[in-house]
Amino acid sequence: MTGGGLGPGAGSGHLPVMYAQVLDALRVQGDGTYLDGTFGRGGHARGVLQLLGPGGRLLVMDKDPDAIAVAEREFGADPRVSIFRGSFAELAQWDATEAGLDGVLFDLGVSSPQLDVAERGFSFGKDGPLDMRMDPDSGESAAQWLARADDREIADVLWRYADERMSRKIARTIVARRDAQPLERTAQLADLIASVMPRGKDKIHPATRSFQAIRIFINRELADLEVGLDAAYERLRPGGRLAVISFHSLEDRIVKQFIARHSKAPAGDRRMPVEQSFTPTLRAIGGAEKADDAELAANPRARSAVLRVAEKLPMQEAA
């Protein structure tokens, strides 16, 4: 969830999450090359750019055409900046990354501007078209998928990506009602879900988990994350840093396991007669880091953010 302005969030209502922690984690060098795989509104990218010298490079990516338009308007004239519209899962296919990267940032999940614009269909707080695509020019919208999926597929998505305990009932109700009235608006879907399950004691809207699950599925967020982490690992130079901000336990688990897989020897197997050798190629930098109280007071959306950082080991250490 990124922000904009000359500093963190200046000139924008959207604050870059864990701004200072991210810049510290990336350990920006003036002549280095850094990739922001989730540009959003450029809060983190702008911070990196301010630390780069004339020989440094900033590569920015985003699926969202609105984000790319902001990047081109605000950074396009800077010769140090290159811009690519696409998922960070495609970063290894971008020629600009071929020479290697000194730092990579993924700020996962939906951005604040996407949530706040009703026409994007991410939030039921403001009624809008039931879309949810980060790239509105690619793939099925949420409305299109809900119009064709059977109840088992819908229930599986709600359970897998949000642990929605009422997933089957919600799915059956969607399928039963969609022929009489197609689901085309966010308010329609939210009201339907609220009609079949009561509001919990925590007062969270009954549709919250379902909207989250559908968004993750529609945008292939977890699959893209797995591919993107592998691509970032391949493109990082020795000593380069990977910083990932997660907002969901499934995302964080993928990031945590990825770092562990490259930094820790797997658990031994007593049935194996010969111990398998292991050479670490990443080093975890600290543990899971969260936003501090001051940031949470200014930006409540940071409450679920988790930052994990890893450094690619030089060849002599990995040998």
Side-chain angles (χ1 to χ4, degrees):
M1 298 183 183
T2 49
L6 296 175
S12 169
H14 308 292
L15 301 175
V17 168
M18 303 180 76
Y19 177 83
Q21 295 96 316
V22 165
L23 293 184
D24 183 62
L26 290 175
R27 201 175 52 181
V28 178
Q29 305 297 311
D31 59 352
T33 300
Y34 298 86
L35 181 138
D36 183 345
T38 46
F39 178 81
R41 291 300 180 267
H44 295 113
R46 188 172 287 102
V48 172
L49 192 59
Q50 289 174 343
L51 297 172
L52 291 179
R57 292 198 69 196
L58 172 64
L59 313 181
V60 300
M61 306 180 71
D62 207 294
K63 295 181 187 180
D64 192 324
D66 293 343
I68 292 299
V70 171
E72 291 175 342
R73 182 175 67 248
E74 298 192 15
F75 299 106
D78 193 318
R80 299 171 297 171
V81 179
S82 296
I83 302 167
F84 180 91
R85 180 182 172 188
S87 167
F88 55 63
E90 305 171 72
L91 75 86
Q93 301 168 32
W94 186 12
D95 291 346
T97 69
E98 192 170 359
L101 302 169
D102 297 295
V104 175
L105 169 65
F106 296 159
D107 182 3
L108 305 177
V110 65
S111 71
S112 294
Q114 289 167 335
L115 283 171
D116 294 339
V117 177
E119 288 72 24
R120 300 304 301 271
F122 286 100
S123 173
F124 50 80
K126 301 175 182 178
D127 184 36
L130 188 55
D131 195 311
M132 297 195 192
R133 289 173 295 176
M134 294 177 181
D135 180 355
D137 300 323
S138 177
E140 285 185 302
S141 69
Q144 290 169 329
W145 176 67
L146 288 172
R148 67 158 184 83
D150 61 31
D151 61 340
R152 292 182 62 182
E153 182 180 359
I154 296 170
D156 181 62
V157 166
L158 301 186
W159 176 255
R160 179 182 300 179
Y161 298 124
D163 290 331
E164 175 50 71
R165 60 184 178 83
M166 301 288 284
S167 59
R168 292 181 181 178
K169 187 174 183 180
I170 293 170
R172 287 196 300 267
T173 304
I174 288 172
V175 171
R177 295 187 187 177
R178 68 188 180 190
D179 289 339
Q181 186 177 24
L183 290 168
E184 298 176 344
R185 309 285 297 182
T186 57
Q188 278 182 285
L189 179 58
D191 290 346
L192 181 152
I193 294 170
S195 73
V196 300
M197 60 181 294
R199 187 182 291 267
K201 293 181 180 179
D202 55 10
K203 297 184 179 180
I204 295 175
H205 192 285
T208 300
R209 287 186 295 272
S210 294
F211 267 68
Q212 171 187 277
I214 294 169
R215 187 207 82 217
I216 290 172
F217 171 77
I218 289 294
N219 292 287
R220 293 177 45 85
E221 293 178 39
L222 301 186
D224 275 11
L225 176 57
E226 291 176 344
V227 175
L229 289 171
D230 286 337
Y233 171 81
E234 292 298 327
R235 286 293 193 246
L236 275 174
R237 294 169 176 154
R241 293 282 184 90
L242 170 68
V244 184
I245 304 174
S246 303
F247 291 86
H248 187 286
S249 60
L250 294 178
E251 296 170 341
D252 185 54
R253 185 182 307 156
I254 290 171
V255 177
K256 180 180 179 181
Q257 291 176 347
F258 172 83
I259 294 174
R261 185 164 68 249
H262 292 284
S263 62
K264 298 179 181 179
D269 186 343
R270 290 178 296 177
R271 293 172 294 181
M272 296 291 290
V274 179
E275 184 176 344
Q276 300 296 305
S277 63
F278 174 79
T279 301
T281 53
L282 284 180
R283 174 170 55 232
I285 305 298
E289 189 172 352
K290 297 189 176 184
D292 59 26
D293 291 341
E295 179 171 359
L296 293 176
N299 184 13
R301 286 177 176 170
R303 66 186 180 277
S304 57
V306 177
L307 172 65
R308 292 188 186 271
V309 183
E311 180 179 308
K312 194 163 188 181
L313 294 175
M315 293 305 294
Q316 60 267 25
E317 292 187 35

